[in-house]
Amino acid sequence: MRLKLLTLALTLAAVSLPSYGEDLLDAYRQARANDPVLAQADATRLAVHEGIPQARALLLPQINGSMSLQQQSITGGNSSQFQSTNGAPGHLRTRSVGVELDQTILNLGDIANLQAAHSTADAQEQTYEAAAQELFVRVATAYFTVLSDEDQLTFAKANEEAFRVTYDQADQQFKVGIAAITNVYQAKSFYESAKATTISAENTLANDRQALTVITGQPVGELKKLQPELPLDTPLPADPQAWVDSSMKNNPTLLSAQLSVDAANHEINVARAGHLPTITASLSRAKSTSWLENGSYNVAGNGRYGNTIGITLSVPIFAGGATQSKVRQTTYQRDEAQDSLESTRRLTVQNTMNYYNSVLAGISEVESGKAAVEAAQKSLDATKAGFNVGTQIILNVLTAIQTLTQSESSYSVARHQLVLNRLLLKQSAGTIDYKDLEYANSLLQ
């Protein structure tokens, strides 16, 4: 009995999929609206940006109003001017009302703090951009992982069916006395193992469909699959160094690390400003009114407003060594940021080169994988024909079926990984956008 495993696998896939389905862009739009990771990055970005108006506020006018009410007991021992009109002890009450305007004229620490806030906000903006670009890849990875799992399940079921047919054939031959019991045992062993593989494939698919749901926030329906023939064009530009140069200019994670170093340098200036003088101008208008509880008490100017204008020069002299410690601390933090930047730079170069090479290797893997599937199918056909005429043993048939399934599995993985590696290369270069996802989506059917 002849059984073409690849034909059966494609037939099962066609039966399980309707003529319509959810595509990659649908999944991305759902993730854009519901993904908690991106939402968290956006909230962090907005929170960090609030540091700018807070730092700027220290350089803007500060207006404060005040009002106080005090009471002082007046006894016989107090000066006679505080006695009530009837001579009895009482209470002296004083009410003060005022408003004060302060304006910083010179504070290099506050200026450096504002600069640090800008750099920190810019770094967080790039971190958010990195999260937005990462969403393209996370959605595509989860989507194509499900597609690959579906292929693996299809192949596992076809493999199981092929082993079942072979097992039935061996069993019938044994019963009519034209084959040994060894053939039955061998076929049954492969068949039972294939059943376990199918169960494992079903579980993997269920788990990975749930992983896609975590990103999109929506149940996963039927997904469109990759078309049979993929474009096998090499990356453009066809120069890995050009991709590395692009990543040095555009990779948002690297740009964020660079801006973090800038922020750290400004923080050093903030700490050093603890040694420098500050100049502040102030303007206040206030009045104070006093009276006795059991009488009257008036002096010249009581209850009248008075204005005060002044400039304050504050010169730090000694703070117990705290200022020097802060300078050292922020310097160490700057050094840490520089080391992190260098680590990120090297990793970015490594990833860009790896993904470029992976795309080139992936093209060859897809080409060789397709040829391997065709050769394995022909080998299976020939082996089964030889078994039917007695020139091949059943173990060769079982091995040929297994080889075809493995070839199909490797070919499927290579196809999906090639599409992903192209996206990963664009992400590492810092140039991935919605159009790249649209292109990947155009490869679906």
Side-chain angles (χ1 to χ4, degrees):
M1 178 180 180
R2 298 169 59 91
L3 174 64
K4 295 194 174 184
L5 188 58
L6 180 58
T7 302
L8 176 59
L10 295 176
T11 301
L12 290 174
V15 171
S16 63
L17 286 177
S19 60
Y20 59 89
E22 179 181 345
D23 63 16
L24 183 59
L25 294 182
D26 292 332
Y28 174 75
R29 284 189 286 265
Q30 293 169 357
R32 186 77 187 190
N34 301 307
D35 180 49
V37 176
L38 184 63
Q40 180 182 6
D42 186 40
T44 302
R45 174 180 66 92
L46 296 174
V48 171
H49 267 278
E50 291 302 319
I52 295 177
Q54 293 175 21
R56 185 187 297 117
L58 300 177
L59 297 170
L60 298 178
Q62 310 289 311
I63 302 176
N64 296 295
S66 63
M67 179 177 179
S68 65
L69 179 63
Q70 297 177 334
Q71 178 172 288
Q72 178 183 358
S73 297
I74 305 299
T75 64
N78 293 101
S79 174
S80 60
Q81 64 173 325
F82 295 111
Q83 296 294 324
S84 61
T85 55
N86 58 12
H91 297 94
L92 176 65
R93 294 174 177 172
T94 302
R95 181 178 63 237
S96 299
V97 180
V99 61
E100 181 177 359
L101 169 66
D102 295 316
Q103 173 62 58
T104 298
I105 297 178
L106 176 64
N107 191 321
L108 297 179
D110 288 346
I111 294 174
N113 189 53
L114 178 58
Q115 293 171 332
H118 275 288
S119 294
T120 301
D122 291 341
Q124 192 59 46
E125 193 71 35
Q126 291 299 324
T127 299
Y128 173 75
E129 177 62 24
Q133 292 190 11
E134 177 68 18
L135 183 62
F136 290 123
V137 173
R138 287 196 295 120
V139 171
T141 299
Y143 187 96
F144 287 117
T145 296
V146 172
L147 293 189
S148 182
D149 290 345
E150 289 178 345
D151 282 353
Q152 301 309 310
L153 179 58
T154 299
F155 301 144
K157 288 181 177 180
N159 191 48
E160 178 186 340
E161 176 63 14
F163 284 135
R164 186 195 65 77
V165 171
T166 304
Y167 168 60
D168 290 344
Q169 184 180 8
D171 188 52
Q172 289 297 325
Q173 290 178 343
F174 169 72
K175 289 179 179 179
V176 298
I178 62 174
I181 188 64
T182 304
N183 289 359
V184 179
Y185 292 151
Q186 289 176 334
K188 182 175 177 58
S189 174
F190 276 79
Y191 174 49
E192 295 297 335
S193 178
K195 289 167 64 177
T197 300
T198 300
I199 294 172
S200 177
E202 290 173 341
N203 183 62
T204 299
L205 174 59
N207 290 340
D208 289 336
R209 288 175 68 88
Q210 187 60 36
L212 180 56
T213 297
V214 169
I215 300 175
T216 63
Q218 301 293 329
V220 179
E222 298 294 342
L223 302 182
K224 291 185 178 180
K225 289 182 171 291
L226 279 179
Q227 60 192 32
E229 297 296 329
L230 295 179
L232 300 179
D233 303 325
T234 58
L236 290 177
D239 177 15
Q241 188 58 45
W243 288 94
V244 170
D245 293 341
S246 175
S247 68
M248 294 297 98
K249 296 178 182 178
N250 303 310
N251 186 283
T253 301
L254 183 60
L255 295 178
S256 177
Q258 292 172 343
L259 290 166
S260 295
V261 173
D262 294 340
N265 282 321
H266 292 311
E267 291 293 346
I268 294 177
N269 293 333
V270 173
R272 287 174 176 167
H275 292 294
L276 303 178
T278 60
I279 301 176
T280 305
S282 62
L283 169 64
S284 64
R285 179 175 175 81
K287 74 173 181 177
S288 180
T289 304
S290 299
W291 70 95
L292 286 172
E293 178 185 14
N294 298 321
S296 62
Y297 165 61
N298 293 299
V299 295
N302 188 35
R304 296 180 182 178
Y305 279 102
N307 299 325
T308 302
I309 301 176
I311 296 179
T312 301
L313 170 65
S314 178
V315 181
I317 297 177
F318 181 66
T323 301
Q324 294 89 334
S325 176
K326 290 178 181 179
V327 172
R328 292 193 300 269
Q329 181 186 49
T330 52
T331 301
Y332 297 145
Q333 291 170 340
R334 189 273 315 276
D335 293 342
E336 178 188 6
Q338 288 179 331
D339 292 336
S340 178
L341 170 61
E342 179 61 19
S343 177
T344 302
R345 187 191 68 80
R346 296 181 186 182
L347 183 61
T348 301
V349 172
Q350 177 189 10
N351 288 340
T352 304
M353 294 293 293
N354 286 348
Y355 292 134
Y356 181 87
N357 294 330
S358 294
V359 171
L360 295 181
I363 293 173
S364 298
E365 289 176 5
V366 170
E367 292 174 335
S368 61
K370 181 179 180 181
V373 170
E374 293 173 351
Q377 181 67 67
K378 292 177 181 179
S379 175
L380 174 60
D381 293 341
T383 303
K384 288 182 70 66
F387 176 73
N388 290 333
V389 298
T391 60
Q392 294 285 348
I393 63 175
I394 194 170
L395 181 60
N396 292 343
V397 176
L398 297 170
T399 302
I401 294 173
Q402 191 174 59
T403 299
L404 175 58
T405 303
Q406 292 172 347
S407 298
E408 290 174 323
S409 175
S410 298
Y411 180 48
S412 172
V413 171
R415 279 163 41 84
H416 293 105
Q417 193 60 50
L418 176 59
V419 179
L420 282 176
N421 284 339
R422 291 186 188 277
L423 294 175
L424 288 167
L425 177 59
K426 298 294 285 291
Q427 180 198 18
S428 186
T431 58
I432 188 172
D433 57 21
Y434 189 74
K435 291 182 179 180
D436 296 305
L437 211 63
E438 286 181 322
Y439 174 74
N441 193 69
S442 70
L443 303 178
L444 303 175
Q445 63 176 11

